[in-house]
Coordinates of all heavy atoms in Angstrom, one line a residue:
Chain B
T178 N 0.0 -5.2 -9.8 CA -1.2 -6.0 -10.0 C -1.0 -7.5 -9.6 O -1.9 -8.2 -9.0 CB -1.7 -6.0 -11.5 OG1 -1.8 -4.7 -11.9 CG2 -3.1 -6.6 -11.6
R179 N 0.2 -8.0 -9.8 CA 0.6 -9.3 -9.4 C 0.5 -9.4 -7.9 O -0.1 -10.3 -7.3 CB 2.0 -9.7 -9.8 CG 2.2 -10.2 -11.1 CD 3.6 -10.7 -11.4 NE 3.9 -10.8 -12.8 CZ 3.4 -11.8 -13.6 NH1 2.7 -12.7 -13.1 NH2 3.7 -11.8 -14.9
R180 N 0.9 -8.4 -7.2 CA 0.9 -8.4 -5.7 C -0.6 -8.3 -5.3 O -1.0 -9.0 -4.4 CB 1.7 -7.2 -5.3 CG 1.8 -7.1 -3.8 CD 2.7 -8.1 -3.2 NE 2.7 -8.1 -1.7 CZ 1.8 -8.8 -1.0 NH1 1.0 -9.7 -1.6 NH2 1.8 -8.8 0.3
A181 N -1.4 -7.5 -5.9 CA -2.8 -7.4 -5.6 C -3.5 -8.7 -5.8 O -4.4 -9.1 -5.1 CB -3.5 -6.3 -6.5
S182 N -3.0 -9.5 -6.9 CA -3.7 -10.8 -7.2 C -3.4 -11.8 -6.1 O -4.2 -12.6 -5.7 CB -3.1 -11.3 -8.5 OG -3.4 -10.4 -9.6
E183 N -2.1 -11.7 -5.5 CA -1.8 -12.6 -4.4 C -2.7 -12.3 -3.2 O -3.1 -13.2 -2.5 CB -0.3 -12.4 -4.0 CG 0.6 -13.0 -5.1 CD 2.1 -12.6 -4.8 OE1 2.4 -12.1 -3.7 OE2 2.9 -12.7 -5.7
I184 N -2.9 -11.0 -3.0 CA -3.7 -10.6 -1.9 C -5.2 -11.1 -2.1 O -5.8 -11.6 -1.2 CB -3.7 -9.1 -1.6 CG1 -2.3 -8.7 -1.2 CG2 -4.7 -8.6 -0.6 CD1 -2.0 -7.2 -1.3
A185 N -5.6 -11.0 -3.3 CA -7.0 -11.4 -3.6 C -7.1 -12.9 -3.3 O -8.1 -13.4 -2.8 CB -7.3 -11.2 -5.1
W186 N -6.0 -13.7 -3.7 CA -6.1 -15.1 -3.4 C -6.1 -15.4 -1.9 O -6.8 -16.4 -1.5 CB -4.9 -15.9 -4.1 CG -5.1 -17.3 -3.9 CD1 -4.5 -18.1 -3.0 CD2 -6.1 -18.1 -4.6 NE1 -5.1 -19.4 -3.1 CE2 -6.0 -19.4 -4.1 CE3 -7.0 -17.8 -5.6 CZ2 -6.9 -20.4 -4.6 CZ3 -7.8 -18.9 -6.1 CH2 -7.7 -20.1 -5.6
T187 N -5.5 -14.6 -1.1 CA -5.6 -14.7 0.4 C -7.1 -14.8 0.8 O -7.4 -15.5 1.8 CB -4.9 -13.5 1.1 OG1 -3.6 -13.4 0.5 CG2 -4.9 -13.7 2.6
A188 N -7.9 -14.0 0.2 CA -9.3 -13.9 0.5 C -10.0 -15.3 0.3 O -10.7 -15.8 1.2 CB -10.0 -12.9 -0.2
V189 N -9.7 -15.9 -0.8 CA -10.3 -17.2 -1.1 C -9.8 -18.3 -0.1 O -10.5 -19.1 0.4 CB -10.0 -17.6 -2.6 CG1 -10.6 -19.0 -2.9 CG2 -10.6 -16.6 -3.5
D190 N -8.4 -18.2 0.1 CA -7.8 -19.2 1.0 C -8.5 -19.1 2.4 O -8.7 -20.0 3.1 CB -6.3 -18.8 1.1 CG -5.5 -19.8 0.4 OD1 -6.0 -20.8 -0.2 OD2 -4.2 -19.5 0.3
T191 N -8.6 -17.8 2.9 CA -9.2 -17.6 4.2 C -10.6 -18.1 4.3 O -11.0 -18.7 5.3 CB -9.1 -16.1 4.6 OG1 -7.8 -15.6 4.4 CG2 -9.5 -15.8 6.0
L192 N -11.3 -17.9 3.2 CA -12.7 -18.4 3.1 C -12.8 -19.9 3.3 O -13.5 -20.4 4.1 CB -13.4 -18.0 1.8 CG -14.9 -18.3 1.7 CD1 -15.7 -17.3 0.9 CD2 -15.1 -19.7 1.1
K193 N -11.9 -20.6 2.6 CA -11.9 -22.0 2.6 C -11.5 -22.5 4.0 O -12.0 -23.5 4.5 CB -10.9 -22.6 1.6 CG -11.4 -22.4 0.2 CD -10.4 -23.1 -0.7 CE -10.8 -22.9 -2.2 NZ -9.8 -23.4 -3.0
K194 N -10.6 -21.7 4.7 CA -10.1 -22.1 6.0 C -11.2 -21.9 7.1 O -11.4 -22.6 8.0 CB -8.8 -21.3 6.3 CG -7.8 -22.1 7.1 CD -6.4 -21.6 7.0 CE -6.3 -20.2 7.0 NZ -5.0 -19.7 6.6
E195 N -11.8 -20.7 6.9 CA -12.7 -20.3 8.0 C -14.1 -20.6 7.9 O -14.9 -20.8 8.9 CB -12.6 -18.7 8.2 CG -11.2 -18.2 8.5 CD -10.8 -18.5 9.9 OE1 -11.6 -18.8 10.8 OE2 -9.5 -18.6 10.1
A196 N -14.6 -20.8 6.7 CA -16.1 -21.1 6.5 C -16.5 -22.4 7.2 O -15.9 -23.4 7.0 CB -16.4 -21.1 5.0
K197 N -17.5 -22.3 8.0 CA -18.0 -23.5 8.7 C -19.4 -23.4 9.0 O -19.9 -22.2 9.2 CB -17.1 -23.9 9.9 CG -17.1 -22.9 10.9 CD -16.1 -23.3 12.0 CE -16.0 -22.1 13.0 NZ -14.8 -22.0 13.7
V198 N -20.1 -24.5 9.2 CA -21.5 -24.5 9.6 C -21.7 -23.7 10.9 O -20.9 -23.9 11.8 CB -22.0 -25.9 9.7 CG1 -23.4 -25.9 10.2 CG2 -21.9 -26.6 8.3
G199 N -22.6 -22.8 10.9 CA -22.9 -22.0 12.1 C -22.3 -20.6 12.1 O -22.7 -19.8 12.9
L200 N -21.2 -20.4 11.3 CA -20.6 -19.1 11.3 C -21.5 -18.2 10.5 O -22.1 -18.6 9.5 CB -19.2 -19.3 10.6 CG -18.3 -18.0 10.7 CD1 -17.7 -17.9 12.1 CD2 -17.1 -18.2 9.7
R201 N -21.6 -17.0 10.9 CA -22.4 -16.0 10.2 C -21.6 -15.4 9.0 O -20.4 -15.3 9.1 CB -22.9 -14.9 11.1 CG -23.8 -15.3 12.2 CD -24.2 -14.1 13.1 NE -24.9 -14.6 14.2 CZ -26.3 -14.7 14.3 NH1 -27.0 -14.5 13.2 NH2 -26.8 -15.1 15.4
E202 N -22.4 -14.9 8.0 CA -21.7 -14.3 6.9 C -20.8 -13.1 7.3 O -19.7 -13.0 6.8 CB -22.7 -13.8 5.8 CG -23.3 -14.8 4.9 CD -24.3 -14.2 3.9 OE1 -24.3 -13.0 3.8 OE2 -25.1 -14.9 3.4
N203 N -21.3 -12.3 8.2 CA -20.6 -11.1 8.6 C -19.3 -11.5 9.3 O -18.3 -10.8 9.2 CB -21.4 -10.1 9.4 CG -21.9 -10.7 10.7 OD1 -22.5 -11.7 10.8 ND2 -21.5 -10.0 11.8

Side-chain angles (χ1 to χ4, degrees):
Chain B
T178 311
R179 277 188 196 282
R180 183 74 188 89
S182 301
E183 286 168 16
I184 294 168
W186 187 259
T187 306
V189 179
D190 258 352
T191 309
L192 183 146
K193 288 183 183 175
K194 212 158 41 191
E195 299 290 340
K197 58 185 174 205
V198 173
L200 191 72
R201 293 178 190 275
E202 276 181 23
N203 65 304

